[in-house]
Amino acid sequence: MTYIAKPKLHHPTLGCNAIGFTRRDYEGKISTLCAGCGHDSISAAIIHACWELAIEPHRIAKLSGIGCSSKTPDYFLGQSHGFNTVHGRMPSVLTGANLANRELIYLGVSGDGDSASIGMGQFVHAIRRGVNMVYIVENNGVYGLTKGQFSATADQGSMSKKGVANTDAPIDLVGLAMQLGASFVARGFSGDKQQLVPIIKAAIAHRGAAFIDVISPCVAFNNHAGSTKSYEYVREHNDAVNRLDFIEPRAEIVADVAPGDIVEVEQHDGSVLRLRKLDASHDPTDRVGAMNYVNAHQAKGEVVTGLLYVDSAAHDLHGHLNTVATPFNTLGAKELCPGMATLDKINASLR
């Protein structure tokens, strides 16, 4: 329960990262989600990724909307900045915060109901503007807080726990993100930590709109035969296009690379994404090809996971607007007010 405080005592054998923090320093409150919920596995992956990257927790701002998924930021990074918005409005609040202070790392956590329904317009504009963020959708295909109604991402023909078939066509957030111009698009599975942790690490290092759709089974309402978001279904139909090794620029390059086709993509900060291609036909730098690949395999009932698309040369919203490097929230009236002469010149140009 969240009202039960975790012990502050850390076991002396816990390993420390490069800045002397243990994994416990990246945890939050005790989860109130159902035992076995995929969302808790995503929280654990975020904790592990931030610990391995040796990020100071106070440098992270985590934002969410409403839903089971949007409760999870309370369960990780307890020492970071946090803001829980109203239903579906997380992207616009994150955008404003990012414009005010570009020095923080922005982590937006949402759900399929929060982003694909009431927050669809918010999702669309945050992605197309290239806000520098990691946008994670914890996708279970149902409204878990309101007893398991189908969400907008539920596959057509999938069955509810009560045996009702979904007749509506699904919204594919991965395909939509690529179409809108997201410069980092991946899909993960909450039950595959080995794949998910490097994806989150790479997304944090990426500059631009990084979108991760994580299939996260709802054990209460969507983990039964007939569901396409269940643990069993995803494990049986998972088509992983690659395995990712994330190599930090300051670290020694050490990676367990299996024989086969290897693709290396250098990011703007010098970090390297080393992709062990499990499907030789997939090119993660080809946006149109990635969209076609996902659609083709989706038509066969396969769930494509891994890093689907990345543009290492992308610009973020601050780059598009050519803003100053100094965060806006540290600027004073002297820097923000152009003076009467400049204002008169601007007004004259508009006449």
Side-chain angles (χ1 to χ4, degrees), residues 7 33 35 75 83 97 111 129 152-153 155 170 196-197 216 236 257 302 340 347:
L33 298 176
Y75 313 142
F83 195 96
R129 287 171 178 148
T153 65
D155 291 314
L196 184 56
V197 170
S216 179
E236 289 182 352
V257 181
E302 295 177 346
M340 286 305 301
N347 289 332

Side-chain angles (χ1 to χ4, degrees), residues 55-78:
I55 299 172
E56 295 172 304
H58 69 269
R59 291 186 54 230
I60 298 177
K62 53 184 183 178
L63 297 94
S64 63
I66 297 294
C68 291
S69 58
S70 294
K71 293 172 61 180
T72 62
D74 205 27
Y75 313 142
F76 60 81
L77 298 174

